[in-house]
Amino acid sequence: MADTMQFDLVSPERSLASLQATAVQIPGAEGDMTAMPMHAPTLTTLRPGVLKVDAPEGTTEFLVTGGFAQISAEGLSVLAEKAIPMDEFTREHLDELIEEARATYETAQKADGPHGLVEDAAKMLADMEALGTHMSL
């Protein structure tokens, strides 16, 4: 059994990580999960949360706002809507994310479109506010 797997994290702005990992905790839309070497192939959507990468060199954490994770025989690839290394994350980042989520929610309410869009926007806003509480920001 392999001890590590290839892990890649990219967002539209940049590539954030490409390294060998022993485990990656993923904030999946259907619940948190941990991918490890030899994991069954899986494709999942992400919810806002902290993605934690355990590697031989140490642990690294990233805040992700959503996206997709694909686990395959080659490793784990995460395509994040937005991703910020936790050691760079500030209160200003959180305020910006909450404001974006609030604006999306208000736009969805006014649009009178499919009800699911309003619920999704409300969930995103609640998740962003909960992250701030969880991180004591």
Side-chain angles (χ1 to χ4, degrees):
M1 183 164 144
D3 291 337
T4 63
M5 64 181 172
Q6 179 61 37
F7 169 72
D8 294 298
L9 171 61
V10 296
S11 72
E13 296 85 25
R14 61 183 171 154
S15 174
L16 289 112
S18 182
L19 54 98
Q20 292 295 306
T22 55
V24 180
Q25 294 177 1
I26 304 165
E30 301 297 322
D32 291 350
M33 63 185 296
T34 300
M36 298 176 76
M38 306 301 288
H39 193 285
T42 305
L43 180 64
T44 187
T45 54
L46 303 177
R47 64 170 169 71
V50 176
L51 186 140
K52 180 179 174 185
V53 183
D54 292 325
E57 298 81 23
T59 300
T60 308
E61 295 181 329
F62 300 89
L63 177 108
V64 294
T65 61
F68 298 91
Q70 179 180 14
I71 305 168
S72 67
E74 292 79 36
L76 170 62
S77 295
V78 175
L79 307 171
E81 291 173 1
K82 288 188 181 183
I84 303 167
M86 290 300 291
D87 59 0
E88 296 175 15
F89 194 73
T90 65
R91 178 65 200 196
E92 290 75 30
H93 284 112
L94 179 63
D95 290 343
E96 179 182 313
L97 293 172
I98 289 173
E99 188 53 40
E100 286 176 19
R102 185 171 287 122
T104 300
Y105 175 65
E106 290 170 1
T107 300
Q109 282 184 312
K110 292 176 186 173
D112 198 32
H115 187 65
L117 292 178
V118 175
E119 290 175 348
D120 290 347
K123 174 86 170 86
M124 173 68 88
L125 178 57
D127 284 346
M128 289 299 156
E129 290 172 340
L131 274 173
T133 301
H134 173 76
M135 296 165 49
S136 300
L137 288 178

